[in-house]
Amino acid sequence: MRIIDDPKVIVIDHPLIVHKLTQIRNKNTGTNEFRRIVNEIGGLMVYEITRDLELEDVEIETPLAKLKTKQLAGEKLCVCPILRAGLGMVEGILQLIPSARVGHIGLYRNEETLEPVEYFAKFPNKLEDRLIIVVDPMLATGGRAVSAISLIKKRGGKNFKFVCLVAAPEGVKRLREAHPDVPIYIAALDDHLNDKGYIVPGLGDAGDRIFGTK
Ligand code: URA
């Protein structure tokens, strides 16, 4: 795990993640493989991201002896994909944390104000007690991530981590400024945004590549 100058921007550049990211950046990678690998990277990233989950003491019996050991301290998790591309990482994350709850948030861009507007939101209860892992493969301008986290905060969310595959410096800056409490975990920090809002070199439209749409 490599941390660039801001300790709350964490680039998870594990060799398996770097390799898999190269595969999905390749324009010749088809939908089936793209979808599978996005999920795999989601699982690998969440493995690192949950490194600081609390453990509690527990006593069990193995087939041979009593053992004082540790288990997860029942910290309640909520994975929250931003629709629709965020859905592509959820299954991979749930394979590692099957008991996590899943919230959904959908935002569209108002063409006049250019601001994201909520069109769908559904969350588990007790958001205020949960670690909320907001997931979106691409952090481009940062507008959707900022709005999604603001909306979840309005509903009581307090403890967040934001996870994406590829980020543009512009999006990282905007999200850090708007929500300085939220650490950002990324697999790669790319060069820039082009005039259409795509991350360069990026991987194209993540939603279209996951779902096979155009
Ligand atoms: N959303 C995407 O899917 N790709 C980008 O490059 C930017 C935003």
Side-chain angles (χ1 to χ4, degrees):
M1 186 157 33
R2 184 169 56 91
I3 300 175
I4 47 183
D5 44 356
D6 180 341
K8 285 206 165 174
V9 180
I10 299 131
V11 181
I12 306 181
D13 56 359
H14 187 288
L16 287 177
I17 293 180
V18 173
H19 177 79
K20 287 176 191 292
L21 194 55
T22 299
Q23 289 179 298
I24 58 171
R25 283 185 189 272
N26 189 330
K27 67 177 185 183
N28 296 321
T29 298
T31 301
N32 195 350
E33 206 182 347
F34 190 94
R35 189 183 296 150
R36 175 178 59 77
I37 297 171
V38 166
N39 266 310
E40 286 174 1
I41 300 177
L44 289 168
M45 289 187 79
V46 96
Y47 177 78
E48 277 292 339
I49 289 163
T50 51
R51 186 172 274 285
D52 57 359
L53 286 187
E54 250 180 70
L55 293 170
E56 64 186 9
D57 294 330
V58 62
E59 190 170 325
I60 58 153
E61 279 185 47
T62 77
L64 301 178
K66 284 196 172 161
L67 174 68
K68 284 188 177 159
T69 179
K70 307 261 183 206
Q71 66 181 16
L72 283 176
E75 187 164 0
K76 298 182 180 76
L77 284 169
C78 174
V79 182
C80 186
I82 302 179
L83 303 180
R84 90 192 139 133
L87 289 174
M89 295 167 74
V90 172
E91 275 310 312
I93 295 174
L94 290 181
Q95 278 190 7
L96 286 194
I97 325 174
S99 61
R101 300 291 193 264
V102 183
H104 293 87
I105 186 153
L107 302 161
Y108 71 89
R109 196 158 80 138
N110 179 312
E111 289 308 330
E112 278 168 22
T113 64
L114 301 184
E115 286 306 311
V117 180
E118 175 185 315
Y119 69 84
F120 184 80
K122 188 92 181 162
F123 301 104
N125 64 5
K126 297 192 180 148
L127 269 183
E128 61 280 8
D129 296 337
R130 298 181 187 275
L131 169 62
I132 302 165
I133 302 179
V134 179
V135 194
D136 195 347
M138 311 302 276
L139 179 60
T141 63
R144 279 154 33 95
V146 167
S147 297
I149 293 170
S150 298
L151 290 165
I152 303 171
K153 281 183 175 174
K154 275 194 198 139
R155 289 172 160 84
K158 291 190 169 67
N159 183 15
F160 291 86
K161 296 191 178 194
F162 181 83
V163 187
C164 70
L165 302 184
V166 182
E170 296 88 332
V172 173
K173 183 167 181 290
R174 185 159 169 197
L175 182 52
R176 288 295 296 127
E177 283 170 1
H179 296 292
D181 54 309
V182 178
I184 305 174
Y185 294 84
I186 60 189
L189 183 62
D190 272 13
D191 195 58
H192 66 279
L193 284 180
N194 70 12
D195 57 4
K196 294 201 168 67
Y198 280 91
I199 301 175
V200 183
L203 48 74
D205 188 304
D208 280 345
R209 295 197 68 193
I210 291 166
F211 296 108
T213 49
K214 246 286 160 239

